[in-house]
PDB file of all heavy atoms in Angstrom:
ATOM      1  N   HIS R 100      -0.264 -12.588  -5.268  1.00  0.00           N
ATOM      2  CA  HIS R 100       0.001 -14.059  -5.171  1.00  0.00           C
ATOM      3  C   HIS R 100       1.323 -14.191  -4.477  1.00  0.00           C
ATOM      4  O   HIS R 100       2.268 -13.388  -4.582  1.00  0.00           O
ATOM      5  CB  HIS R 100       0.211 -14.641  -6.606  1.00  0.00           C
ATOM      6  CG  HIS R 100       0.733 -16.067  -6.624  1.00  0.00           C
ATOM      7  ND1 HIS R 100       1.980 -16.394  -7.203  1.00  0.00           N
ATOM      8  CD2 HIS R 100       0.201 -17.229  -6.149  1.00  0.00           C
ATOM      9  CE1 HIS R 100       2.114 -17.696  -7.080  1.00  0.00           C
ATOM     10  NE2 HIS R 100       1.108 -18.189  -6.418  1.00  0.00           N
ATOM     11  N   SER R 101       1.315 -15.200  -3.594  1.00  0.00           N
ATOM     12  CA  SER R 101       2.627 -15.544  -2.878  1.00  0.00           C
ATOM     13  C   SER R 101       2.804 -17.029  -2.913  1.00  0.00           C
ATOM     14  O   SER R 101       1.893 -17.776  -2.912  1.00  0.00           O
ATOM     15  CB  SER R 101       2.519 -15.061  -1.391  1.00  0.00           C
ATOM     16  OG  SER R 101       1.469 -15.640  -0.761  1.00  0.00           O
ATOM     17  N   ALA R 102       4.074 -17.425  -2.867  1.00  0.00           N
ATOM     18  CA  ALA R 102       4.366 -18.831  -2.886  1.00  0.00           C
ATOM     19  C   ALA R 102       5.761 -18.941  -2.179  1.00  0.00           C
ATOM     20  O   ALA R 102       6.569 -18.001  -2.026  1.00  0.00           O
ATOM     21  CB  ALA R 102       4.543 -19.295  -4.328  1.00  0.00           C
ATOM     22  N   ASN R 139       5.502 -26.801   0.495  1.00  0.00           N
ATOM     23  CA  ASN R 139       5.333 -25.703  -0.410  1.00  0.00           C
ATOM     24  C   ASN R 139       3.903 -25.062  -0.180  1.00  0.00           C
ATOM     25  O   ASN R 139       2.925 -25.841   0.055  1.00  0.00           O
ATOM     26  CB  ASN R 139       5.456 -26.111  -1.915  1.00  0.00           C
ATOM     27  CG  ASN R 139       6.857 -26.741  -2.165  1.00  0.00           C
ATOM     28  OD1 ASN R 139       7.819 -26.179  -1.690  1.00  0.00           O
ATOM     29  ND2 ASN R 139       6.907 -27.762  -2.936  1.00  0.00           N
ATOM     30  N   TRP R 140       3.859 -23.742  -0.406  1.00  0.00           N
ATOM     31  CA  TRP R 140       2.459 -23.236  -0.338  1.00  0.00           C
ATOM     32  C   TRP R 140       2.338 -22.207  -1.386  1.00  0.00           C
ATOM     33  O   TRP R 140       3.262 -21.592  -1.945  1.00  0.00           O
ATOM     34  CB  TRP R 140       2.367 -22.438   1.094  1.00  0.00           C
ATOM     35  CG  TRP R 140       3.124 -21.100   1.169  1.00  0.00           C
ATOM     36  CD1 TRP R 140       2.721 -19.879   0.824  1.00  0.00           C
ATOM     37  CD2 TRP R 140       4.406 -20.941   1.680  1.00  0.00           C
ATOM     38  NE1 TRP R 140       3.532 -18.934   1.035  1.00  0.00           N
ATOM     39  CE2 TRP R 140       4.652 -19.492   1.566  1.00  0.00           C
ATOM     40  CE3 TRP R 140       5.341 -21.710   2.238  1.00  0.00           C
ATOM     41  CZ2 TRP R 140       5.937 -18.961   1.961  1.00  0.00           C
ATOM     42  CZ3 TRP R 140       6.558 -21.156   2.692  1.00  0.00           C
ATOM     43  CH2 TRP R 140       6.740 -19.806   2.567  1.00  0.00           C
ATOM     44  N   ASN R 141       1.007 -21.963  -1.732  1.00  0.00           N
ATOM     45  CA  ASN R 141       0.608 -20.907  -2.711  1.00  0.00           C
ATOM     46  C   ASN R 141      -0.629 -20.205  -2.106  1.00  0.00           C
ATOM     47  O   ASN R 141      -1.533 -20.827  -1.505  1.00  0.00           O
ATOM     48  CB  ASN R 141       0.172 -21.653  -4.047  1.00  0.00           C
ATOM     49  CG  ASN R 141       1.388 -21.780  -4.958  1.00  0.00           C
ATOM     50  OD1 ASN R 141       1.789 -20.914  -5.736  1.00  0.00           O
ATOM     51  ND2 ASN R 141       1.973 -23.044  -4.941  1.00  0.00           N
ATOM     52  N   ASN R 142      -0.583 -18.971  -2.307  1.00  0.00           N
ATOM     53  CA  ASN R 142      -1.695 -18.075  -1.784  1.00  0.00           C
ATOM     54  C   ASN R 142      -2.017 -17.067  -2.810  1.00  0.00           C
ATOM     55  O   ASN R 142      -1.259 -16.331  -3.286  1.00  0.00           O
ATOM     56  CB  ASN R 142      -1.229 -17.411  -0.511  1.00  0.00           C
ATOM     57  CG  ASN R 142      -2.260 -16.529   0.064  1.00  0.00           C
ATOM     58  OD1 ASN R 142      -2.410 -15.359  -0.380  1.00  0.00           O
ATOM     59  ND2 ASN R 142      -2.994 -16.847   1.096  1.00  0.00           N
ATOM     60  N   VAL R 143      -3.300 -16.969  -3.171  1.00  0.00           N
ATOM     61  CA  VAL R 143      -3.885 -16.070  -4.168  1.00  0.00           C
ATOM     62  C   VAL R 143      -4.907 -15.247  -3.423  1.00  0.00           C
ATOM     63  O   VAL R 143      -5.864 -15.744  -2.711  1.00  0.00           O
ATOM     64  CB  VAL R 143      -4.491 -16.735  -5.369  1.00  0.00           C
ATOM     65  CG1 VAL R 143      -5.013 -15.680  -6.374  1.00  0.00           C
ATOM     66  CG2 VAL R 143      -3.422 -17.637  -6.027  1.00  0.00           C
ATOM     67  N   TYR R 164      -7.399 -17.968  -1.593  1.00  0.00           N
ATOM     68  CA  TYR R 164      -7.243 -19.364  -1.790  1.00  0.00           C
ATOM     69  C   TYR R 164      -5.869 -19.791  -1.324  1.00  0.00           C
ATOM     70  O   TYR R 164      -4.761 -19.215  -1.772  1.00  0.00           O
ATOM     71  CB  TYR R 164      -7.455 -19.692  -3.274  1.00  0.00           C
ATOM     72  CG  TYR R 164      -7.150 -21.193  -3.566  1.00  0.00           C
ATOM     73  CD1 TYR R 164      -8.100 -22.093  -3.166  1.00  0.00           C
ATOM     74  CD2 TYR R 164      -6.021 -21.493  -4.265  1.00  0.00           C
ATOM     75  CE1 TYR R 164      -7.818 -23.435  -3.436  1.00  0.00           C
ATOM     76  CE2 TYR R 164      -5.849 -22.914  -4.478  1.00  0.00           C
ATOM     77  CZ  TYR R 164      -6.690 -23.834  -4.073  1.00  0.00           C
ATOM     78  OH  TYR R 164      -6.486 -25.243  -4.339  1.00  0.00           O
ATOM     79  N   ASN R 165      -5.802 -20.760  -0.470  1.00  0.00           N
ATOM     80  CA  ASN R 165      -4.491 -21.256   0.056  1.00  0.00           C
ATOM     81  C   ASN R 165      -4.358 -22.659  -0.377  1.00  0.00           C
ATOM     82  O   ASN R 165      -5.313 -23.500  -0.279  1.00  0.00           O
ATOM     83  CB  ASN R 165      -4.382 -21.243   1.546  1.00  0.00           C
ATOM     84  CG  ASN R 165      -4.191 -19.723   2.035  1.00  0.00           C
ATOM     85  OD1 ASN R 165      -3.180 -19.128   1.833  1.00  0.00           O
ATOM     86  ND2 ASN R 165      -5.254 -19.261   2.766  1.00  0.00           N
ATOM     87  N   PHE R 166      -3.187 -23.146  -0.682  1.00  0.00           N
ATOM     88  CA  PHE R 166      -2.895 -24.427  -1.015  1.00  0.00           C
ATOM     89  C   PHE R 166      -1.548 -24.871  -0.482  1.00  0.00           C
ATOM     90  O   PHE R 166      -0.520 -24.247  -0.852  1.00  0.00           O
ATOM     91  CB  PHE R 166      -2.945 -24.839  -2.467  1.00  0.00           C
ATOM     92  CG  PHE R 166      -2.719 -26.261  -2.878  1.00  0.00           C
ATOM     93  CD1 PHE R 166      -3.646 -27.136  -2.679  1.00  0.00           C
ATOM     94  CD2 PHE R 166      -1.442 -26.670  -3.289  1.00  0.00           C
ATOM     95  CE1 PHE R 166      -3.476 -28.518  -2.928  1.00  0.00           C
ATOM     96  CE2 PHE R 166      -1.186 -28.041  -3.659  1.00  0.00           C
ATOM     97  CZ  PHE R 166      -2.204 -29.006  -3.463  1.00  0.00           C
TER      98      PHE R 166
END
Side-chain angles (χ1 to χ4, degrees):
H100 173 242
S101 61
N139 298 318
W140 77 85
N141 273 278
N142 174 282
V143 180
Y164 176 72
N165 287 297
F166 181 77

